[in-house]
Amino acid sequence: MRRSVTAILLLLMPVGALAADGASLGGPFRLIDQNGAVRTESDFRGSYPLIYFGFTHCPDLCPRSLGTMSTALDELSARAPAKAQRVALLFITVDPERDTVAVIKDYVAKFHPRLIGLTGSAEEVEAMTRTYGAFYAPVPQEGGDYAMDHSGFIVLMGPAGEYLTHFESDVGADALAAELEQRVTP
Ligand code: NI
């Protein structure tokens, strides 16, 4: 673990600040997907990115939220397939040290065929995370291992890269699907 304490403190912004200043969220990023391809924000123009920040070693919150996002997309696909096609499911790791391209590839495959996993250098991940209002911090565990404390919200961006809304981690799949159906234009 080699992370700048200063950088971590900068990231410790309350989740509540997100909604109040949502208009400023979002912006350029450059990360690598689970197939090794470079992905930037411009790749998702015209889509509705539904973004979650987490890490593959997460025991509970991440699997639950990614499961919710996957189920919601399936529900939307059944009701409004054209809208569902415009949604991009994104998982951004906050633990790039362990979450390599190969690890991310195995992980996203467990959830949804359309889930895109993104990793990058520590600096790239930090920049992207800050841009989208998420925070994370390593938590040392016994035996030299570590977990990551991290924000649990799900961000929905619009087709021009603009912030639309966000959901708490305990949002249900039905509620998420309903909100997507309302906000996404086919
Ligand atoms: Ni997690």
Side-chain angles (χ1 to χ4, degrees), residues 19-40:
D21 195 22
S24 66
L25 288 184
F29 65 84
R30 180 192 180 282
L31 294 169
I32 308 294
D33 73 13
Q34 74 268 29
N35 296 312
V38 172
R39 296 293 193 120
T40 71

Side-chain angles (χ1 to χ4, degrees), residues 52-65 91 94 107 148-152:
Y52 184 77
F53 299 86
F55 68 115
T56 66
H57 287 68
C58 182
D60 41 33
L61 191 62
C62 292
R64 191 180 65 184
S65 298
F91 168 69
V94 296
Y107 189 69
M148 297 297 289
D149 188 14
H150 65 92
S151 49

Side-chain angles (χ1 to χ4, degrees), residues 4-89:
S4 145
V5 170
T6 307
I8 290 165
L9 290 176
L10 282 173
L11 290 168
L12 290 177
M13 301 190 309
V15 176
L18 194 161
D21 195 22
S24 66
L25 288 184
F29 65 84
R30 180 192 180 282
L31 294 169
I32 308 294
D33 73 13
Q34 74 268 29
N35 296 312
V38 172
R39 296 293 193 120
T40 71
E41 79 290 347
S42 62
D43 293 332
F44 300 99
R45 287 290 185 269
S47 302
Y48 288 78
L50 190 63
I51 307 174
Y52 184 77
F53 299 86
F55 68 115
T56 66
H57 287 68
C58 182
D60 41 33
L61 191 62
C62 292
R64 191 180 65 184
S65 298
L66 293 170
T68 298
M69 290 163 63
S70 300
T71 302
L73 184 61
D74 286 341
E75 288 183 15
L76 186 63
S77 295
R79 291 206 298 267
K83 293 185 178 186
Q85 276 304 318
R86 297 198 70 189
V87 176
L89 292 187

